[in-house]
Amino acid sequence: MAELSENAVPAATVGRLPYYLRALRDLADEGVPLTSSSELAERSGVGSAQLRKDLSFLGSFGTRGVGYDVQSLADYIKAALGLESEHRLAIVGIGNLGHALANYSGYTQRGFQVAALLDASPDVVGTEVAGIRVDDIADLTQVITQRRVSMVVLATPGGVAQGVAEQVVAAGVREILNFAPTALQVPDDVVVRSVDVGGELQILAFHAAARAAGAQD
Amino acid sequence: MAELSENAVPAATVGRLPYYLRALRDLADEGVPLTSSSELAERSGVGSAQLRKDLSFLGSFGTRGVGYDVQSLADYIKAALGLESEHRLAIVGIGNLGHALANYSGYTQRGFQVAALLDASPDVVGTEVAGIRVDDIADLTQVITQRRVSMVVLATPGGVAQGVAEQVVAAGVREILNFAPTALQVPDDVVVRSVDVGGELQILAFHAAARAAGAQD
DNA sequence: ACATGTGAATCCTTTCACAGCA
DNA sequence: TGCTGTGAAAGGATTCACATGT
């Protein structure tokens, strides 16, 4: 691994870039050509100093006294996120959630392409979901290789998630989005992002309880 | 505000408590009565020092030289998260994702109860999803009040999310789980957690691009 | 005059390392 | 001996405040 100037972007900043991109897209849709750190920050739900600091890690895109060009800033952020090249993904586990994710329309317009759907159940394999045939998970390695899948969305039951993840990694995938309620054990060079609906609700419950305890006083 | 011993729990710690709880449930299912900070940390995907530090904000539950009792630690964490009392939630927006969330089985076993489903489309209102009748979003305030809903899951299209959030807040809800790709503007005392699938994929794309840039060197 | 870009200060989080106790 | 619980140190992230450039 070589040290790169681009690699100096902090993780917390990377996590916010999608918000900025979304806000910029909205502004573009509204026909706004120019924006400011405070307007963009407001729409992204962060502070303006934070936004400027975040952008400073990518470079210097604004004009002092004026602001940012909406379109060109969006292009810079897209480039920083690696959204120039197409990313081909497979969804594994076509249950309720897998269905919903397959039908999610936000992929293609943003450089993501659903290249494969995989499931273990004979009832589902062979059917079409969102215009794509569901393949048997037994053929996982082959499908991933042949269709040049580089990212996998895991929507399987928790019990089998670790095993599937191992196959997926063995097939060469290095980016996984995990919806299963399991802490996946993967090699260091594999990036896993987990979305846990149950966990999010529990965090909200904590705040509800804290509020109740405070109000009692 | 009175005794803040509970309120001193850092946000980062709260965010990890659900992982610990999940790992403890797994251990209990396997019939393991006793565990250690390193075993529990391993299963939760964190470091053992971090786990011990996190638990120290809640109290002191282990036995030095021995470890933690699986069942009683789980009970303590549940209590800290406010999972003793039932939380009644409404899902707003019964599209692909709303369907999937309504059918998600992880709620009831964890103290959450789906008390209402709401949608705007005449095609959906009146149908049954997951055994619950879908009500008209026009009746939102009434439904929330009558069914004592305290949390809302927003699964609407982005365009209407802000408007719905405002109604939901006006109806007295203070905890929102937002799946719409929008930064909701809400009063300070309302807690919003956002899940953004598109954003997660973009973060993965960033790592893929960083890897590609590094390998080239 | 005005908004960006950025060092410096502050705050929060993680990690370390060991004292304390079964 | 072995593992917890916790001060202290280290490392990140956020916020401040202003110099900088248009």
Side-chain angles (χ1 to χ4, degrees):
Chain A
M1 266 192 255
E3 308 315 314
L4 301 185
S5 44
E6 284 103 354
N7 263 350
V9 183
T13 294
V14 173
R16 281 184 297 267
L17 294 179
Y19 296 125
Y20 303 153
L21 197 49
R22 216 161 57 185
L24 286 165
R25 192 173 290 124
D26 290 347
L27 285 165
D29 287 349
E30 294 168 25
V32 180
L34 206 66
T35 188
S36 65
S37 64
S38 46
E39 180 179 41
L40 191 52
E42 158 106 25
R43 284 172 178 255
S44 309
V46 305
S48 69
Q50 176 134 263
L51 179 128
R52 292 199 303 278
K53 175 62 88 176
D54 282 341
L55 293 184
S56 79
F57 291 112
L58 305 182
S60 154
F61 309 114
T63 314
R64 287 165 200 252
V66 180
Y68 303 92
D69 180 80
V70 168
Q71 189 54 59
S72 74
L73 180 55
D75 288 344
Y76 272 117
I77 293 180
K78 271 187 225 166
L81 283 170
L83 300 180
E84 313 281 52
S85 49
E86 269 243 331
H87 298 272
R88 300 173 60 78
L89 49 91
I91 302 174
V92 184
I94 314 298
N96 280 308
L97 182 59
H99 252 88
L101 293 171
N103 282 299
Y104 174 61
S105 54
Y107 294 127
T108 42
Q109 50 175 316
R110 289 160 211 214
F112 297 93
Q113 162 96 8
V114 179
L117 304 179
L118 295 158
D119 200 282
S121 158
D123 294 345
V124 179
V125 172
T127 64
E128 267 204 9
V129 174
I132 302 169
R133 247 185 68 95
V134 179
D135 284 298
D136 194 314
I137 202 173
D139 304 327
L140 185 141
T141 306
Q142 188 185 336
V143 168
I144 284 180
T145 311
Q146 286 181 354
R147 306 210 192 145
R148 305 191 314 286
V149 167
S150 63
M151 287 185 190
V152 162
V153 178
L154 264 193
T156 66
V160 301
Q162 176 65 36
V164 173
E166 284 166 15
Q167 289 179 64
V168 156
V169 168
V173 170
R174 288 292 169 274
E175 269 78 39
I176 298 175
L177 179 52
N178 175 39
F179 285 86
T182 309
L184 298 179
Q185 312 287 337
V186 297
D188 285 349
D189 65 333
V190 176
V191 183
V192 176
R193 305 271 314 172
S194 283
V195 174
D196 177 10
V197 175
E200 295 295 326
L201 288 174
Q202 290 175 2
I203 293 167
L204 289 176
F206 173 87
H207 289 288
R211 182 195 322 284
Q216 213 170 36
D217 182 19
Chain B
M1 275 191 241
E3 311 317 312
L4 297 181
S5 40
E6 284 109 352
N7 261 351
V9 184
T13 294
V14 174
R16 281 186 296 266
L17 294 180
Y19 296 127
Y20 304 153
L21 198 48
R22 214 161 57 185
L24 286 165
R25 192 172 291 124
D26 290 348
L27 285 165
D29 287 350
E30 292 168 26
V32 179
L34 207 65
T35 187
S36 65
S37 65
S38 47
E39 180 180 41
L40 191 51
E42 158 107 25
R43 284 173 178 254
S44 309
V46 305
S48 69
Q50 175 135 264
L51 179 129
R52 291 199 304 278
K53 175 61 87 173
D54 281 341
L55 293 184
S56 78
F57 292 112
L58 306 182
S60 154
F61 310 113
T63 314
R64 288 165 201 252
V66 178
Y68 303 91
D69 179 79
V70 168
Q71 190 53 57
S72 73
L73 180 56
D75 289 343
Y76 272 117
I77 293 180
K78 272 187 225 168
L81 283 170
L83 301 179
E84 312 281 53
S85 50
E86 269 244 330
H87 298 271
R88 299 171 61 79
L89 50 92
I91 302 175
V92 184
I94 312 300
N96 280 309
L97 182 58
H99 252 89
L101 293 170
N103 282 299
Y104 173 61
S105 54
Y107 294 128
T108 42
Q109 51 176 316
R110 288 160 212 212
F112 297 94
Q113 162 96 8
V114 180
L117 304 178
L118 294 158
D119 200 282
S121 159
D123 294 344
V124 179
V125 172
T127 63
E128 268 205 7
V129 174
I132 302 170
R133 247 184 69 94
V134 178
D135 284 297
D136 195 315
I137 202 173
D139 304 326
L140 185 141
T141 306
Q142 190 186 334
V143 168
I144 285 180
T145 311
Q146 286 181 354
R147 305 210 193 145
R148 304 192 314 286
V149 167
S150 64
M151 287 185 190
V152 162
V153 178
L154 263 192
T156 67
V160 301
Q162 177 64 36
V164 173
E166 286 166 15
Q167 289 180 64
V168 156
V169 169
V173 170
R174 289 290 170 274
E175 269 79 39
I176 298 175
L177 179 53
N178 175 39
F179 285 86
T182 310
L184 298 179
Q185 312 288 337
V186 296
D188 284 350
D189 65 334
V190 176
V191 183
V192 176
R193 304 273 312 172
S194 283
V195 173
D196 176 10
V197 175
E200 295 295 328
L201 288 174
Q202 290 175 2
I203 294 167
L204 290 176
F206 174 87
H207 289 288
R211 183 194 322 285
Q216 208 170 39
D217 185 16

